[in-house]
Amino acid sequence: MKGLVTATTLGMVLSTSAFTSQPASSLFQRTTASSSASSSILHAANAEPFKITIDLPGEGLAANMKFPPVLDVPSELVEVRYSVPFGLDVAPKEGLAVCTKDGAGGEKVGDVLRYTSQWTLGLPRGDGVITTAMSFAGGIGWQVSMFDVARAGRWEDVVEALVSNEGSRTDEVVLLFERPLSTE
């Protein structure tokens, strides 16, 4: 590990080390961990991809997602939402972004960060007349998407995606963690 960097505006402790790169069951519940954090759990089997719809930060946006688990054992997804600014303890380990400290939103030591909401500049999306006109007029603005942490080429890309969730763009960050199912 090359060392630790603290992003004080978000309260995150992130390592700067090199980073390389079940069907949904009926159980999908939301629990509130605190006034500024919440989490949801989606159970899945290890053989099939996760299928989930995530409400993105912003006005009425959602992402339909389907992706395979990265863990070799049966696992579940944990959706965590924090108000910004937020704190998060993750570090690269064996090519994955692994949680190093339990968090108020429900993430636990050993959880693998799979996706984070990310804000990037881009042209308006859609197929209407207004979006087309704005595209020709250079109407660039902030857009939200889900960043695939497991496919990041560099650890710095993960850090950049996390810190893009700041108060001038959004009031919350969405994080998806993969957690091994308990064998108890």
Side-chain angles (χ1 to χ4, degrees):
M1 199 174 296
K2 295 179 182 177
L4 292 177
V5 172
T6 303
T8 54
T9 58
L10 299 178
M12 292 186 295
V13 178
L14 302 166
S15 167
T16 58
S17 297
F19 184 74
T20 56
S21 342
Q22 357 303 233
S25 74
S26 60
L27 176 62
F28 187 73
Q29 64 185 45
R30 173 152 296 193
T31 56
T32 302
S34 72
S35 61
S36 65
S38 65
S39 65
S40 300
I41 298 176
L42 172 70
H43 293 276
N46 208 43
E48 295 189 35
F50 293 109
K51 296 176 187 176
I52 186 170
T53 298
I54 298 292
D55 291 327
L56 297 173
E59 298 178 23
L61 299 174
N64 293 318
M65 303 174 68
K66 180 179 177 181
F67 54 94
V70 294
L71 298 176
D72 293 337
V73 297
S75 57
E76 63 188 0
L77 286 181
V78 178
E79 176 187 351
V80 176
R81 291 177 178 267
Y82 280 114
S83 296
V84 295
F86 65 102
L88 179 65
D89 291 292
V90 295
K93 182 178 179 184
E94 299 175 11
L96 301 172
V98 180
C99 185
T100 59
K101 183 178 176 185
D102 289 357
E107 69 272 24
K108 299 195 178 301
V109 172
D111 287 354
V112 176
L113 180 61
R114 293 299 309 275
Y115 285 87
T116 179
S117 53
Q118 166 186 266
W119 292 84
T120 55
L121 282 173
L123 293 172
R125 294 180 230 176
D127 56 2
V129 174
I130 294 174
T131 358
T132 303
M134 288 180 65
S135 295
F136 283 113
I140 295 176
W142 289 105
Q143 298 179 357
V144 64
S145 62
M146 293 300 286
F147 178 80
D148 187 346
V149 174
R151 292 187 180 196
R154 305 173 309 130
W155 180 246
E156 291 79 13
D157 296 337
V158 176
V159 174
E160 188 176 303
L162 287 165
V163 299
S164 74
N165 294 280
E166 54 104 333
S168 68
R169 298 176 194 138
T170 186
D171 59 353
E172 73 175 344
V173 60
V174 179
L175 305 164
L176 282 181
F177 291 91
E178 185 174 343
R179 175 182 298 160
L181 286 173
S182 141
T183 57
E184 299 173 8

